[in-house]
C-alpha cells in the first residue's frame, strides 16, 4: 500500500534549471498580457521555491524586472527561516541573498495587502492559500479576475472541491 498525492500519473522528472525556465516563460507571457500575475501558493516550502526561482530569473534577466509582492505573514516568516538555513538546503546555497532581492516586497499588514488592489498590471502577487479557499489570495482574485489581462498561475495541487480546483 502506498499513499501519494500524485500516484496515479507519470510526470517528467525535470531538472531545476528546466523547471525554472518553464516558470520564466509563464511569467513573461503573463506580464506581456499587461495585467497582474496572481500566484496562489502554499506558505511553507512552495513559496520559498517560487521566490528562489523568480530571483534567479530576475538575476539572469530572463524575465522583466517586475515587482514581486509576497502577501502572506506566514510565508514571510517561513522565508526568513529558509534564508537563515539556506546553507543546509539542496540546490540553494545563495538563497539568503536571493530571498532579499530588491524586487521583492513582503507585506505583513492587511492595509498594505488591500492597497495592491490599486495596481492594475505588471506585478507578481504571491499569496496564500495555495488552493484559494482562504487567505489573502481571495481578495486578490476578487480584484483581478474580472480583468481580461490578469493571469492566475497555479503551482500546486488543487484538491477537488476547493476554489482552486473549480477554476474554468
Amino acid at each position: 500500500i502506498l499513499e501519494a498525492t500524485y500516484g496515479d500519473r507519470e510526470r517528467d522528472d525535470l531538472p531545476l534549471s528546466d523547471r525554472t525556465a518553464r516558470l520564466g516563460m509563464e511569467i513573461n507571457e503573463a506580464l506581456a498580457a499587461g495585467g497582474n500575475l496572481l500566484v496562489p501558493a502554499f506558505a511553507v516550502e512552495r513559496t520559498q521555491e517560487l521566490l528562489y526561482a523568480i530571483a534567479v530569473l530576475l538575476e539572469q534577466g530572463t524575465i522583466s524586472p517586475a515587482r514581486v509582492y509576497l502577501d502572506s505573514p506566514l510565508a514571510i516568516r517561513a522565508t526568513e527561516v529558509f534564508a537563515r538555513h539556506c546553507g543546509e538546503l539542496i540546490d540553494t546555497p545563495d538563497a539568503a541573498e536571493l530571498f532579499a532581492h530588491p524586487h521583492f516586497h513582503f507585506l505583513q499588514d492587511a492595509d498594505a495587502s488591500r492597497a495592491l488592489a490599486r495596481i492594475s498590471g505588471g506585478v507578481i502577487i504571491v499569496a496564500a492559500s495555495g488552493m484559494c479557499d482562504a487567505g489573502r489570495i481571495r481578495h486578490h482574485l476578487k480584484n483581478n479576475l474580472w480583468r481580461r489581462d490578469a493571469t492566475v498561475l497555479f503551482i500546486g495541487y488543487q484538491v477537488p472541491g476547493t476554489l482552486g480546483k473549480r477554476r474554468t
Side-chain angles (χ1 to χ4, degrees):
I1 296 175
L2 173 70
E3 186 281 325
T5 301
Y6 304 110
D8 65 341
R9 63 187 73 148
E10 293 287 325
R11 294 193 185 272
D12 295 333
D13 188 18
L14 298 175
L16 180 60
S17 60
D18 289 355
R19 292 192 314 263
T20 303
R22 283 188 180 183
L23 175 64
M25 290 185 325
E26 294 293 334
I27 290 172
N28 282 331
E29 186 177 319
L31 294 175
N36 292 326
L37 170 59
L38 306 178
V39 185
F42 301 96
V44 179
E45 192 172 3
R46 190 59 56 95
T47 292
Q48 291 72 38
E49 290 174 350
L50 176 67
L51 290 176
Y52 180 81
I54 291 172
V56 167
L57 292 166
L58 285 166
E59 290 297 307
Q60 294 172 344
T62 306
I63 61 173
S64 65
R67 288 171 292 164
V68 179
Y69 293 97
L70 177 56
D71 191 14
S72 166
L74 177 58
I76 292 167
R77 287 191 300 276
T79 301
E80 291 166 353
V81 172
F82 271 69
R84 278 196 308 272
H85 298 282
C86 65
E88 301 167 41
L89 303 173
I90 298 171
D91 295 329
T92 58
D94 53 352
E97 181 179 306
L98 290 176
F99 287 145
H101 196 281
H103 286 106
F104 291 172
H105 306 276
F106 294 178
L107 306 180
Q108 289 281 2
D109 65 73
D111 288 337
S113 176
R114 284 189 289 273
L116 291 179
R118 292 190 294 264
I119 301 173
S120 61
V123 300
I124 300 169
I125 301 171
V126 180
S129 82
M131 293 188 208
C132 305
D133 276 341
R136 294 181 178 179
I137 191 64
R138 292 185 60 103
H139 75 257
H140 296 305
L141 291 169
K142 179 181 176 185
N143 292 320
N144 285 274
L145 281 180
W146 60 272
R147 297 178 172 146
R148 297 185 75 117
D149 55 4
T151 302
V152 179
L153 177 62
F154 290 95
I155 60 169
Y157 179 72
Q158 302 299 303
V159 172
T162 62
L163 180 61
K165 185 67 173 183
R166 291 189 300 239
R167 69 192 186 273
T168 55

PDB file of all heavy atoms in Angstrom, residues 98-118:
ATOM      1  N   LEU A  98      19.247  35.818  -2.405  1.00  0.00           N
ATOM      2  CA  LEU A  98      18.166  35.881  -3.390  1.00  0.00           C
ATOM      3  C   LEU A  98      16.817  36.159  -2.737  1.00  0.00           C
ATOM      4  O   LEU A  98      15.974  36.835  -3.325  1.00  0.00           O
ATOM      5  CB  LEU A  98      18.115  34.598  -4.213  1.00  0.00           C
ATOM      6  CG  LEU A  98      19.287  34.402  -5.180  1.00  0.00           C
ATOM      7  CD1 LEU A  98      19.175  33.056  -5.879  1.00  0.00           C
ATOM      8  CD2 LEU A  98      19.363  35.526  -6.199  1.00  0.00           C
ATOM      9  N   PHE A  99      16.587  35.660  -1.533  1.00  0.00           N
ATOM     10  CA  PHE A  99      15.324  35.938  -0.842  1.00  0.00           C
ATOM     11  C   PHE A  99      15.203  37.420  -0.491  1.00  0.00           C
ATOM     12  O   PHE A  99      14.108  37.911  -0.260  1.00  0.00           O
ATOM     13  CB  PHE A  99      15.178  35.098   0.429  1.00  0.00           C
ATOM     14  CG  PHE A  99      14.883  33.642   0.190  1.00  0.00           C
ATOM     15  CD1 PHE A  99      15.398  32.672   1.019  1.00  0.00           C
ATOM     16  CD2 PHE A  99      14.064  33.232  -0.857  1.00  0.00           C
ATOM     17  CE1 PHE A  99      15.120  31.327   0.818  1.00  0.00           C
ATOM     18  CE2 PHE A  99      13.772  31.896  -1.072  1.00  0.00           C
ATOM     19  CZ  PHE A  99      14.310  30.938  -0.238  1.00  0.00           C
ATOM     20  N   ALA A 100      16.312  38.121  -0.460  1.00  0.00           N
ATOM     21  CA  ALA A 100      16.303  39.553  -0.159  1.00  0.00           C
ATOM     22  C   ALA A 100      16.426  40.378  -1.443  1.00  0.00           C
ATOM     23  O   ALA A 100      16.922  41.499  -1.420  1.00  0.00           O
ATOM     24  CB  ALA A 100      17.445  39.879   0.787  1.00  0.00           C
ATOM     25  N   HIS A 101      15.985  39.831  -2.555  1.00  0.00           N
ATOM     26  CA  HIS A 101      16.096  40.505  -3.849  1.00  0.00           C
ATOM     27  C   HIS A 101      15.405  41.873  -3.795  1.00  0.00           C
ATOM     28  O   HIS A 101      14.340  42.011  -3.198  1.00  0.00           O
ATOM     29  CB  HIS A 101      15.469  39.640  -4.946  1.00  0.00           C
ATOM     30  CG  HIS A 101      15.873  40.064  -6.308  1.00  0.00           C
ATOM     31  ND1 HIS A 101      15.303  41.134  -6.952  1.00  0.00           N
ATOM     32  CD2 HIS A 101      16.812  39.574  -7.141  1.00  0.00           C
ATOM     33  CE1 HIS A 101      15.863  41.280  -8.130  1.00  0.00           C
ATOM     34  NE2 HIS A 101      16.790  40.351  -8.279  1.00  0.00           N
ATOM     35  N   PRO A 102      15.983  42.896  -4.414  1.00  0.00           N
ATOM     36  CA  PRO A 102      15.378  44.238  -4.347  1.00  0.00           C
ATOM     37  C   PRO A 102      13.999  44.355  -4.990  1.00  0.00           C
ATOM     38  O   PRO A 102      13.265  45.290  -4.673  1.00  0.00           O
ATOM     39  CB  PRO A 102      16.395  45.132  -5.068  1.00  0.00           C
ATOM     40  CG  PRO A 102      17.341  44.230  -5.749  1.00  0.00           C
ATOM     41  CD  PRO A 102      17.265  42.885  -5.100  1.00  0.00           C
ATOM     42  N   HIS A 103      13.617  43.423  -5.848  1.00  0.00           N
ATOM     43  CA  HIS A 103      12.276  43.470  -6.438  1.00  0.00           C
ATOM     44  C   HIS A 103      11.219  42.813  -5.551  1.00  0.00           C
ATOM     45  O   HIS A 103      10.036  42.864  -5.867  1.00  0.00           O
ATOM     46  CB  HIS A 103      12.275  42.808  -7.825  1.00  0.00           C
ATOM     47  CG  HIS A 103      12.922  43.656  -8.862  1.00  0.00           C
ATOM     48  ND1 HIS A 103      14.160  43.376  -9.375  1.00  0.00           N
ATOM     49  CD2 HIS A 103      12.506  44.799  -9.456  1.00  0.00           C
ATOM     50  CE1 HIS A 103      14.482  44.303 -10.254  1.00  0.00           C
ATOM     51  NE2 HIS A 103      13.498  45.180 -10.321  1.00  0.00           N
ATOM     52  N   PHE A 104      11.650  42.184  -4.466  1.00  0.00           N
ATOM     53  CA  PHE A 104      10.720  41.520  -3.559  1.00  0.00           C
ATOM     54  C   PHE A 104      10.231  42.501  -2.500  1.00  0.00           C
ATOM     55  O   PHE A 104      11.014  43.224  -1.892  1.00  0.00           O
ATOM     56  CB  PHE A 104      11.372  40.326  -2.862  1.00  0.00           C
ATOM     57  CG  PHE A 104      11.674  39.158  -3.761  1.00  0.00           C
ATOM     58  CD1 PHE A 104      12.400  38.085  -3.284  1.00  0.00           C
ATOM     59  CD2 PHE A 104      11.251  39.109  -5.079  1.00  0.00           C
ATOM     60  CE1 PHE A 104      12.688  36.993  -4.090  1.00  0.00           C
ATOM     61  CE2 PHE A 104      11.529  38.031  -5.891  1.00  0.00           C
ATOM     62  CZ  PHE A 104      12.251  36.965  -5.395  1.00  0.00           C
ATOM     63  N   HIS A 105       8.923  42.479  -2.274  1.00  0.00           N
ATOM     64  CA  HIS A 105       8.298  43.308  -1.247  1.00  0.00           C
ATOM     65  C   HIS A 105       7.432  42.401  -0.387  1.00  0.00           C
ATOM     66  O   HIS A 105       6.515  41.756  -0.899  1.00  0.00           O
ATOM     67  CB  HIS A 105       7.448  44.412  -1.892  1.00  0.00           C
ATOM     68  CG  HIS A 105       8.219  45.229  -2.869  1.00  0.00           C
ATOM     69  ND1 HIS A 105       9.005  46.292  -2.488  1.00  0.00           N
ATOM     70  CD2 HIS A 105       8.358  45.117  -4.213  1.00  0.00           C
ATOM     71  CE1 HIS A 105       9.590  46.810  -3.551  1.00  0.00           C
ATOM     72  NE2 HIS A 105       9.214  46.120  -4.614  1.00  0.00           N
ATOM     73  N   PHE A 106       7.722  42.347   0.901  1.00  0.00           N
ATOM     74  CA  PHE A 106       6.996  41.472   1.815  1.00  0.00           C
ATOM     75  C   PHE A 106       5.955  42.299   2.558  1.00  0.00           C
ATOM     76  O   PHE A 106       6.299  43.264   3.230  1.00  0.00           O
ATOM     77  CB  PHE A 106       7.949  40.810   2.803  1.00  0.00           C
ATOM     78  CG  PHE A 106       8.919  39.835   2.166  1.00  0.00           C
ATOM     79  CD1 PHE A 106       9.860  39.188   2.934  1.00  0.00           C
ATOM     80  CD2 PHE A 106       8.910  39.559   0.813  1.00  0.00           C
ATOM     81  CE1 PHE A 106      10.749  38.273   2.390  1.00  0.00           C
ATOM     82  CE2 PHE A 106       9.786  38.650   0.244  1.00  0.00           C
ATOM     83  CZ  PHE A 106      10.710  38.006   1.039  1.00  0.00           C
ATOM     84  N   LEU A 107       4.704  41.898   2.434  1.00  0.00           N
ATOM     85  CA  LEU A 107       3.592  42.647   3.027  1.00  0.00           C
ATOM     86  C   LEU A 107       3.093  41.936   4.282  1.00  0.00           C
ATOM     87  O   LEU A 107       2.515  40.866   4.200  1.00  0.00           O
ATOM     88  CB  LEU A 107       2.448  42.787   2.022  1.00  0.00           C
ATOM     89  CG  LEU A 107       2.819  43.375   0.663  1.00  0.00           C
ATOM     90  CD1 LEU A 107       1.588  43.461  -0.229  1.00  0.00           C
ATOM     91  CD2 LEU A 107       3.461  44.727   0.823  1.00  0.00           C
ATOM     92  N   GLN A 108       3.293  42.574   5.415  1.00  0.00           N
ATOM     93  CA  GLN A 108       2.864  41.982   6.680  1.00  0.00           C
ATOM     94  C   GLN A 108       1.434  42.350   7.035  1.00  0.00           C
ATOM     95  O   GLN A 108       0.679  41.523   7.503  1.00  0.00           O
ATOM     96  CB  GLN A 108       3.790  42.436   7.816  1.00  0.00           C
ATOM     97  CG  GLN A 108       5.165  41.853   7.762  1.00  0.00           C
ATOM     98  CD  GLN A 108       5.211  40.428   8.287  1.00  0.00           C
ATOM     99  OE1 GLN A 108       4.218  39.838   8.664  1.00  0.00           O
ATOM    100  NE2 GLN A 108       6.397  39.864   8.292  1.00  0.00           N
ATOM    101  N   ASP A 109       1.076  43.622   6.821  1.00  0.00           N
ATOM    102  CA  ASP A 109      -0.220  44.052   7.344  1.00  0.00           C
ATOM    103  C   ASP A 109      -1.297  44.074   6.263  1.00  0.00           C
ATOM    104  O   ASP A 109      -1.024  44.174   5.069  1.00  0.00           O
ATOM    105  CB  ASP A 109      -0.122  45.405   8.060  1.00  0.00           C
ATOM    106  CG  ASP A 109       0.252  46.533   7.131  1.00  0.00           C
ATOM    107  OD1 ASP A 109      -0.595  46.940   6.328  1.00  0.00           O
ATOM    108  OD2 ASP A 109       1.405  47.001   7.229  1.00  0.00           O
ATOM    109  N   ALA A 110      -2.525  43.983   6.713  1.00  0.00           N
ATOM    110  CA  ALA A 110      -3.677  43.880   5.813  1.00  0.00           C
ATOM    111  C   ALA A 110      -3.891  45.142   4.984  1.00  0.00           C
ATOM    112  O   ALA A 110      -4.344  45.065   3.844  1.00  0.00           O
ATOM    113  CB  ALA A 110      -4.933  43.562   6.627  1.00  0.00           C
ATOM    114  N   ASP A 111      -3.546  46.321   5.525  1.00  0.00           N
ATOM    115  CA  ASP A 111      -3.713  47.559   4.759  1.00  0.00           C
ATOM    116  C   ASP A 111      -2.818  47.566   3.527  1.00  0.00           C
ATOM    117  O   ASP A 111      -3.233  47.972   2.443  1.00  0.00           O
ATOM    118  CB  ASP A 111      -3.417  48.782   5.631  1.00  0.00           C
ATOM    119  CG  ASP A 111      -4.495  49.040   6.661  1.00  0.00           C
ATOM    120  OD1 ASP A 111      -5.645  48.586   6.451  1.00  0.00           O
ATOM    121  OD2 ASP A 111      -4.195  49.689   7.679  1.00  0.00           O
ATOM    122  N   ALA A 112      -1.583  47.131   3.681  1.00  0.00           N
ATOM    123  CA  ALA A 112      -0.671  47.056   2.539  1.00  0.00           C
ATOM    124  C   ALA A 112      -1.173  46.040   1.519  1.00  0.00           C
ATOM    125  O   ALA A 112      -1.071  46.255   0.310  1.00  0.00           O
ATOM    126  CB  ALA A 112       0.734  46.693   3.007  1.00  0.00           C
ATOM    127  N   SER A 113      -1.738  44.962   2.008  1.00  0.00           N
ATOM    128  CA  SER A 113      -2.310  43.948   1.129  1.00  0.00           C
ATOM    129  C   SER A 113      -3.461  44.523   0.307  1.00  0.00           C
ATOM    130  O   SER A 113      -3.529  44.360  -0.910  1.00  0.00           O
ATOM    131  CB  SER A 113      -2.796  42.757   1.958  1.00  0.00           C
ATOM    132  OG  SER A 113      -3.441  41.814   1.141  1.00  0.00           O
ATOM    133  N   ARG A 114      -4.368  45.222   0.979  1.00  0.00           N
ATOM    134  CA  ARG A 114      -5.517  45.812   0.283  1.00  0.00           C
ATOM    135  C   ARG A 114      -5.086  46.874  -0.724  1.00  0.00           C
ATOM    136  O   ARG A 114      -5.725  47.069  -1.754  1.00  0.00           O
ATOM    137  CB  ARG A 114      -6.504  46.387   1.291  1.00  0.00           C
ATOM    138  CG  ARG A 114      -7.326  45.317   1.998  1.00  0.00           C
ATOM    139  CD  ARG A 114      -8.444  45.928   2.831  1.00  0.00           C
ATOM    140  NE  ARG A 114      -7.948  46.620   4.002  1.00  0.00           N
ATOM    141  CZ  ARG A 114      -7.704  46.042   5.183  1.00  0.00           C
ATOM    142  NH1 ARG A 114      -7.922  44.763   5.344  1.00  0.00           N
ATOM    143  NH2 ARG A 114      -7.250  46.753   6.200  1.00  0.00           N
ATOM    144  N   ALA A 115      -3.983  47.554  -0.456  1.00  0.00           N
ATOM    145  CA  ALA A 115      -3.500  48.604  -1.354  1.00  0.00           C
ATOM    146  C   ALA A 115      -3.087  48.043  -2.715  1.00  0.00           C
ATOM    147  O   ALA A 115      -3.084  48.771  -3.711  1.00  0.00           O
ATOM    148  CB  ALA A 115      -2.340  49.348  -0.716  1.00  0.00           C
ATOM    149  N   LEU A 116      -2.787  46.762  -2.787  1.00  0.00           N
ATOM    150  CA  LEU A 116      -2.423  46.156  -4.072  1.00  0.00           C
ATOM    151  C   LEU A 116      -3.577  46.206  -5.068  1.00  0.00           C
ATOM    152  O   LEU A 116      -3.357  46.113  -6.277  1.00  0.00           O
ATOM    153  CB  LEU A 116      -1.971  44.704  -3.883  1.00  0.00           C
ATOM    154  CG  LEU A 116      -0.641  44.498  -3.170  1.00  0.00           C
ATOM    155  CD1 LEU A 116      -0.354  43.009  -3.035  1.00  0.00           C
ATOM    156  CD2 LEU A 116       0.493  45.210  -3.878  1.00  0.00           C
ATOM    157  N   ALA A 117      -4.795  46.381  -4.594  1.00  0.00           N
ATOM    158  CA  ALA A 117      -5.958  46.463  -5.490  1.00  0.00           C
ATOM    159  C   ALA A 117      -5.850  47.655  -6.429  1.00  0.00           C
ATOM    160  O   ALA A 117      -6.471  47.666  -7.497  1.00  0.00           O
ATOM    161  CB  ALA A 117      -7.250  46.528  -4.683  1.00  0.00           C
ATOM    162  N   ARG A 118      -5.057  48.657  -6.061  1.00  0.00           N
ATOM    163  CA  ARG A 118      -4.891  49.844  -6.907  1.00  0.00           C
ATOM    164  C   ARG A 118      -3.920  49.611  -8.058  1.00  0.00           C
ATOM    165  O   ARG A 118      -3.815  50.426  -8.963  1.00  0.00           O
ATOM    166  CB  ARG A 118      -4.427  51.023  -6.059  1.00  0.00           C
ATOM    167  CG  ARG A 118      -5.495  51.492  -5.077  1.00  0.00           C
ATOM    168  CD  ARG A 118      -5.119  52.806  -4.426  1.00  0.00           C
ATOM    169  NE  ARG A 118      -3.954  52.691  -3.557  1.00  0.00           N
ATOM    170  CZ  ARG A 118      -4.006  52.515  -2.240  1.00  0.00           C
ATOM    171  NH1 ARG A 118      -5.161  52.417  -1.633  1.00  0.00           N
ATOM    172  NH2 ARG A 118      -2.903  52.440  -1.527  1.00  0.00           N
TER     173      ARG A 118
END
